[in-house]
Amino acid sequence: LAAVLQPDIAIVTLVGHGHLEGLGSLDEVAREKYDLLRVLKPGGRGFVRHQTWALPQNEAFIETFGPELQADHVMTARGPGWMEVSGVRWEIGLPGAHGAVNSLAAILCARLMGIEDAVIADGLASSQASPHRMQIRAIGGLTVIDDTWNANPESMVSTLETMAELVPADG
């Protein structure tokens, strides 16, 4: 499908365990996801979460992003509902570290398309999770997090880390 589309821009947010059932190994997951990068049009741009897999070589320009200092675009700070990139604080509507990392990818893509930062900021601040993806609700005095859309090891770790952020400092 990627070869048919021949995208100008591509984003790979994570190579993780979510697709092992069909692909068998993390190396195969990386190969499959990076196929999207391999078919970028010459001069196209790919944004990839900084991980250990070798990036494909082609005529597109591929950059990495994430909280890792080795990434081309680094999220330097983050807290509940916000993140900082290149000295700019962004309010984000998605909870947790994974929401911030995905928001960073959205910023990079939107800027590449010529969208002004004020418009990007409005969109990020009002963004909401998809159904069954980090849906946080108060029910009968309890906080319930529905992250049942496609649980896998990475998403479960994210959910648990996000839960810790939601607990008030005084317990």
Side-chain angles (χ1 to χ4, degrees):
L1 184 58
V4 172
L5 294 175
Q6 294 185 328
D8 296 303
I9 304 170
I11 299 172
V12 176
T13 56
L14 179 69
V15 172
H17 293 83
H19 301 287
L20 285 182
E21 182 178 342
L23 298 171
S25 72
L26 287 176
D27 287 337
E28 286 300 308
V29 172
R31 185 192 58 72
E32 184 70 21
K33 287 192 172 203
Y34 286 5
D35 275 350
L36 182 60
L37 303 171
R38 287 183 189 89
V39 299
L40 280 167
K41 291 180 181 175
R45 183 77 60 94
F47 297 108
V48 180
R49 169 71 190 266
H50 181 76
Q51 290 183 289
T52 58
W53 285 271
L55 296 174
Q57 301 298 311
N58 59 12
E59 296 179 34
F61 188 63
I62 300 172
E63 299 173 87
T64 61
F65 64 91
E68 299 82 7
L69 296 177
Q70 304 85 354
D72 297 315
H73 302 277
V74 180
M75 179 177 52
T76 53
R78 189 190 68 75
W82 66 273
M83 69 174 176
E84 185 176 289
V85 178
S86 301
V88 177
R89 183 177 166 123
W90 297 85
E91 302 299 320
I92 54 177
L94 300 175
H98 63 288
V101 170
N102 290 346
S103 295
L104 174 53
I107 291 167
L108 297 171
C109 187
R111 282 179 167 173
L112 181 63
M113 294 187 303
I115 299 172
E116 295 180 14
D117 281 359
V119 175
I120 298 169
D122 287 345
L124 288 178
S126 64
S127 61
Q128 298 178 0
S130 301
H132 305 292
R133 182 75 195 258
M134 293 306 296
Q135 299 278 296
I136 301 171
R137 293 185 177 78
I139 301 174
L142 298 173
T143 300
V144 176
I145 300 175
D146 176 3
D147 195 36
T148 58
W149 74 280
N150 186 17
N152 62 67
E154 289 86 6
S155 70
M156 293 306 299
V157 167
S158 266
T159 299
L160 294 171
E161 289 173 347
T162 301
M163 285 174 56
E165 289 181 9
L166 299 174
V167 175
D170 58 4

